Structures are given as C-alpha cells and as structure tokens.
Amino acid sequence: MNEETKQFDLIIIGGGISATLLCLSIFKRTKDFNILIIEKSDRFSQKVGESVVDLTAVFLKSLEIDHLLTEQVHKTGVRFLFNETNSGDLGDVAEFASPTLPGAIKGYHLNRSVVDQKLLEEVQQKGVTVYRPAEIVATSFKEFENKLSVQVEDQIKHVQSKWVVDATGRGRFVAKKLNWNNKPIGLNTGAIMAHFQNIAPSAEWDTCKNHYWDGKAVGLRDFSTTHLMRKHSWWWVIRLNETTTSIGVVFDKNKVKFEDYKTFFQEQITTDAQLVRMTQHAKQGEIRYIKNLAYVSERIYSKGIALIGESGAFLDPFISPGLEMIGQQTIWLSKLLVKEKETGKFEQRKWERYSQLFYQSYASRLKIYKTAYHFMHSYDLFKVWLMQGNFAYFGKIVFPSVVFNHRIKYPLRFNMIENVAVHYFGKRLKAINQKRIKSNRVAVYQKNELTYSSVRVPKGILFPFIPFHLLFKALWAYWLLEVKELKFRKK
C-alpha cells in the first residue's frame, strides 16, 4: 500500500541560510504558509564568505533575529593590506582601512556552521517541517506540480507542492536535474580555505598600531575583515571567535596555476611574509577547494521552480558576499509566493521583472571584477578602485536603503553613464598596471602608509553628505594617481 502524499505550499531543498531566511521573510508576511525543508546533511560545513557587509546587516535586522547574531563576533571594519615586494619588514606594508564607526549599522563575522544550525532550529520552532538527514530518491518536476520521494532514516516519504525552491548552494540539485546551464561570464576564479586555531598575535604579522581605529571604531582591528592583497589574488583573514580564524584565498585561475590545491595552499602560507608569521604555529583544519567560484545559471525560475543564492549564481566574496543577494532575493520571492497563494494567480510579468533585476545586478558587478584581478596587488591602483567602489556601493545602495527601507530589495545596478565610467576607469587602471610591469615598477609609498576610506553611516545631520564626500575622495585619489604617472613619463 502506497504511503499518502503530503501536500505543502512550498518545498525548499537545502536547509542552509538561503532556505531559512526565505522562511523568515515569508513569515513576516503571513503565518499561513506550510513549508517543508529537506536537508541532506546532519551538520553544516564551513562556507566561503563568513562576513556580513552593511546592507546584509540592515536586512538581517529587519528579520528580528538579532538574538541569533549577538553570539557572533562583531565586525569592526574592513582592511586591505598591500605588500607588493613580499617584504619581511612590516613597515613596507601599506594599508587601506575602513573602520566601522558607531552608527546605524552593525556587521558580524559569522561562523556559518553555527549560524545555519541556529537559523534552522528557529524556523522549526515557527512551524516549518524539516526532514534531516534526508535523501531525495525520486523527483517529478512539472509546471506547478512538483513531487518528491524522500528517504528519511528507513522511511520513504512522498511530498508534493506547487512550488519548489532550490537552496542547495553549489550542490545545485534542481538546476542539474533540469539541465539548466550556466551563462558564459568571462571571470574564471577559484578559492581555497581552511580554519586555523590560535594564529599568532597581530603584533607579529600586522601593520603598526592604529590609534585612530582603536579610539574611534566599534572594536579592535583583530575582529575586522582583513584582506591581504596579492598578485591576481586576495586572502581573507576573519576571526570567528577568540581562537578560530578563517583564512582563505580567491584567485584568478587564468594567472595562478598549480597541480595540487593542498600543496599550493601550504606553499603560500609558508612563503608569504605575513601569512607565514600568522600561521606557522597555528593548528590548521581541513583544506577546502572550490574550483569554479563564479557562475550564473541561464535561468533562475520557471513555473513552479525558483533558485536562490548559490544554487543560481555566485560572483565573488570580496566586497559583497552572496548573503547580500540572498537577502534581496528572499524579499522578492516571499512577496511573489505569498501573493500567488492569496490570489491563486501566477503573475508572469512580476516574475520576469524579478529575474531581470538580478541578472542586471550580476552583470553590473561582473564588470567591476573582470578588471580588478589585474591590479589588486598594487596599493595606489587598487586604492582608487576601492574608493570608486565605496561611492557606488554606499551612495547607490546602503544609504538609500537606510533612509528608505523599501530600497533594500533593489540590488546594485549601473545605468548607462555609470557603465561608461566603470569601463573607463577599469580599463585605465589596467593599462597603468601593464605599463608598470613593462618598466619593472611597483607602487611607491611611505613607510607604514595608511589611507582611510571615510565610509561611515552616522545617525546625525551629516548622513546625507557622506556619499558626496566619498565621491570627492575617489576623484581626488584618481587625479593624484594620474599626476604621479605623468611625472614618471616626463622623467
């Protein structure tokens, strides 16, 4: 005798943060939504990108899950360290610093395996059914009619729903089943990472003490997101708690070649002047390799199917981790799914708009990253890139979202003029770098040189003027760079 098929309003495949944030967004709109989560693993693993940027912090706050975040480490800012010659003298390390000053936004470093687990428990308490650990043994995906057979322990459960959301991340369960291919994007990156226990104190590998940061920021530099900028690659250093630090590298595979990722990772942390000081006495955990970091699916929805987060796309964790786009997707998807249940109507035009917005956003960000890996090792070149990015991100996204809460759902997109500007500046910075390579030059700067981003989100009357200040700093930094290059040519 066949087991009865259970009916749900929504089945989510995958139980990580994409799934649970979508559930919480739906429950903000209605409590009358029957959701099933199917998660194959019995525990969550580490992830690439364990830092919450500003817009993600605004979104998470709106879901009223602060009680789950307070146990995580407060992010005290963002730092970028440059050592183009791999000098052993810490005075030769230049820094671009962006301390988080007291204001309207709080960021976090997330131990994702812990946070994902707590979020899953949270939605279970709110009424979500969870099958875990579970394996999907049979599927039938038809238009608005999805049927799954799921093995949970020694039982086979049959479930059905009008909508299925794929939240399996890089597993990309539904996309693979339906043979949805990736679009060509022209960015070929990979990532390698590991967790380390008890890395060396910052005084042994970091730049000199920053009194401004220590006196003004919300916390010490040790709990910032630290980037080590290297040729065609960058390393992240993220303190997850007092003992555990996430360290990883993202690299351009067209330029960085190796045969074995574990050997490459070990070679880098034992030859890089800062990394070797940081990790030589630390206990290293399992090394994880993500071969193809950046991709985007040719489709992110069909009638009855939707992809969310890394199941549909991932770009780069450098400035904006995937959590930001996941948050924005959950706002759109929760509204579309709840509205359809209430009206019984599939609104094709609104789904197309949702799809178009996120493809446009991916394309806009992609234009930035396609050139960045050429010169990210250079202090003065990449400093200009960072300042331009700060203006675009905070001026177009963060500040409007803080002032007008409904703006948070709109991802970053460039208009025609902005696209021209991004293309020009990226091409120009790349050209300067190529000329420096031909003349065997590196960036020249003072001992312990330090530049501040001026990024802040104050609560007072200065708030509206911050984007204009960021724009002025970006243009001024670019002008000084061009003057420097002109002087060199005259010599």
Side-chain angles (χ1 to χ4, degrees):
M1 181 175 181
N2 291 332
E3 182 182 341
E4 180 184 356
T5 298
K6 292 185 179 180
Q7 182 75 36
F8 293 89
D9 296 321
L10 172 65
I11 296 174
I12 304 177
I13 305 175
I17 199 166
S18 297
T20 50
L21 292 183
L22 177 57
C23 293
L24 292 171
S25 294
I26 289 173
F27 291 151
K28 275 189 69 177
R29 300 178 184 277
T30 179
K31 303 300 181 185
D32 182 24
F33 218 89
N34 191 15
I35 304 173
L36 168 66
I37 289 178
I38 303 171
E39 170 55 43
K40 69 176 183 179
S41 68
D42 57 358
R43 65 176 183 174
F44 294 110
S45 61
Q46 57 186 334
K47 300 290 192 301
V48 173
E50 296 169 299
S51 175
V52 171
V53 295
D54 303 83
L55 192 63
T56 313
V58 175
F59 169 72
L60 292 178
K61 185 178 180 180
S62 72
L63 293 180
E64 299 178 351
I65 54 173
D66 287 356
H67 60 288
L68 299 180
L69 299 175
T70 52
E71 299 175 5
Q72 301 298 304
V73 172
H74 280 281
K75 178 179 176 177
T76 62
V78 184
R79 306 173 63 217
F80 306 89
L81 308 183
F82 300 82
N83 188 2
E84 195 168 349
T85 61
N86 196 29
S87 171
D89 182 356
L90 293 178
D92 293 332
V93 179
E95 178 176 354
F96 183 85
S98 185
T100 299
L101 304 178
I105 291 177
K106 289 182 179 179
Y108 297 91
H109 287 167
L110 301 182
N111 187 331
R112 282 289 302 276
S113 61
V114 174
V115 172
D116 287 8
Q117 178 63 37
K118 288 184 177 294
L119 282 170
L120 186 60
E121 294 169 359
E122 180 86 0
V123 297
Q124 276 187 281
Q125 293 175 6
K126 293 181 181 293
V128 173
T129 301
V130 176
Y131 292 168
R132 184 193 192 194
E135 180 182 359
I136 298 174
V137 295
T139 61
S140 173
F141 297 122
K142 296 180 180 179
E143 190 173 292
F144 298 127
E145 186 180 343
N146 301 291
K147 296 179 180 180
L148 304 174
S149 296
V150 186
Q151 182 172 344
V152 186
E153 295 180 345
D154 57 350
Q155 286 186 314
I156 299 294
K157 297 179 181 290
H158 303 284
V159 295
Q160 179 176 336
S161 68
K162 185 176 181 181
W163 279 94
V164 163
V165 170
D166 184 349
T168 57
R170 291 180 176 273
R172 309 183 70 192
F173 181 87
V174 174
K176 290 178 180 178
K177 285 284 185 182
L178 299 178
N179 295 316
W180 289 358
N181 297 318
N182 292 333
K183 293 183 176 185
I185 60 173
L187 182 63
N188 186 22
T189 52
I192 309 173
M193 64 177 293
H195 282 182
F196 289 77
Q197 301 295 323
N198 301 310
I199 66 169
S202 57
E204 296 183 20
W205 58 267
D206 206 349
T207 55
C208 60
K209 193 171 180 65
N210 187 322
H211 296 288
Y212 175 81
W213 186 302
D214 292 341
K216 300 292 185 180
V218 297
L220 299 177
R221 293 187 305 167
D222 288 358
F223 293 98
S224 66
T225 301
T226 301
H227 306 75
L228 307 183
M229 310 307 298
R230 303 299 186 250
K231 288 184 178 179
H232 310 297
S233 64
W234 61 274
W235 290 75
W236 74 79
V237 181
I238 300 176
R239 291 284 296 271
L240 300 177
N241 53 48
E242 292 292 341
T243 59
T244 306
T245 301
S246 173
I247 299 177
V249 59
V250 178
F251 53 91
D252 181 354
K253 290 163 58 181
N254 295 324
K255 300 292 184 180
V256 179
K257 306 287 187 179
F258 54 82
E259 293 184 0
D260 178 75
Y261 71 90
K262 292 183 179 179
T263 302
F264 170 77
F265 190 77
Q266 295 299 148
E267 287 176 349
Q268 295 303 304
I269 63 174
T270 54
T271 57
D272 185 276
Q274 286 180 278
L275 287 170
V276 66
R277 293 186 180 194
M278 185 189 306
T279 64
Q280 61 183 336
H281 299 303
K283 182 180 178 181
Q284 181 180 311
E286 178 185 0
I287 301 175
R288 183 185 176 200
Y289 178 34
I290 299 178
K291 188 175 181 180
N292 299 304
L293 191 62
Y295 58 88
V296 59
S297 174
E298 64 184 1
R299 305 179 69 176
I300 60 171
Y301 89 94
S302 66
K303 293 181 178 180
I305 300 289
L307 311 183
I308 189 171
E310 293 181 38
S311 64
F314 190 81
L315 184 54
D316 199 286
F318 181 69
I319 289 180
S320 180
L323 281 178
E324 177 181 314
M325 192 163 286
I326 289 170
Q328 291 167 325
Q329 284 183 298
T330 63
I331 296 173
W332 285 86
L333 287 174
S334 62
K335 183 176 181 179
L336 289 167
L337 292 169
V338 171
K339 185 70 178 295
E340 182 172 329
K341 183 185 177 184
E342 292 173 347
T343 63
K345 296 180 180 179
F346 174 73
E347 299 186 72
Q348 178 80 33
R349 183 179 59 83
K350 291 185 178 180
W351 278 92
E352 283 298 318
R353 186 189 180 206
Y354 158 72
S355 176
Q356 184 182 41
L357 276 173
F358 282 91
Y359 279 130
Q360 288 175 346
S361 177
Y362 192 92
S364 293
R365 293 177 184 271
L366 184 61
K367 289 178 181 178
I368 300 174
Y369 283 105
K370 276 185 175 180
T371 56
Y373 280 86
H374 291 280
F375 51 80
M376 58 175 36
H377 61 283
S378 175
Y379 171 63
D380 53 355
L381 296 181
F382 207 68
K383 179 173 69 173
V384 171
W385 187 91
L386 286 166
M387 288 181 170
Q388 292 171 349
N390 282 338
F391 164 68
Y393 182 65
F394 284 86
K396 286 181 63 66
I397 300 296
V398 177
F399 289 96
S401 298
V402 172
V403 177
F404 307 104
N405 192 253
H406 71 281
R407 292 290 305 172
I408 194 174
K409 70 178 182 179
Y410 293 103
L412 175 67
R413 294 170 297 153
F414 295 136
N415 58 36
M416 184 181 298
I417 295 175
E418 291 163 344
N419 275 321
V420 171
V422 168
H423 176 75
Y424 168 76
F425 286 117
K427 185 177 179 180
R428 179 62 184 141
L429 293 174
K430 182 180 176 181
I432 293 174
N433 181 63
Q434 290 173 337
K435 289 180 180 179
R436 288 183 177 182
I437 292 173
K438 289 180 181 180
S439 58
N440 198 28
R441 283 194 295 150
V442 297
V444 177
Y445 46 83
Q446 303 296 318
K447 282 282 187 180
N448 302 124
E449 185 161 329
L450 172 63
T451 301
Y452 290 107
S453 69
S454 297
V455 169
R456 58 181 305 192
V457 189
K459 296 180 180 179
I461 59 173
L462 293 177
F463 183 86
F465 298 99
I466 298 297
F468 297 101
H469 181 56
L470 295 177
L471 175 61
F472 172 79
K473 285 202 67 170
L475 294 175
W476 181 248
Y478 175 69
W479 168 252
L480 292 179
L481 176 65
E482 290 288 13
V483 169
K484 181 192 294 185
E485 293 304 300
L486 181 62
K487 288 180 178 178
F488 175 79
R489 288 198 298 270
K490 285 186 175 181
K491 287 182 181 179

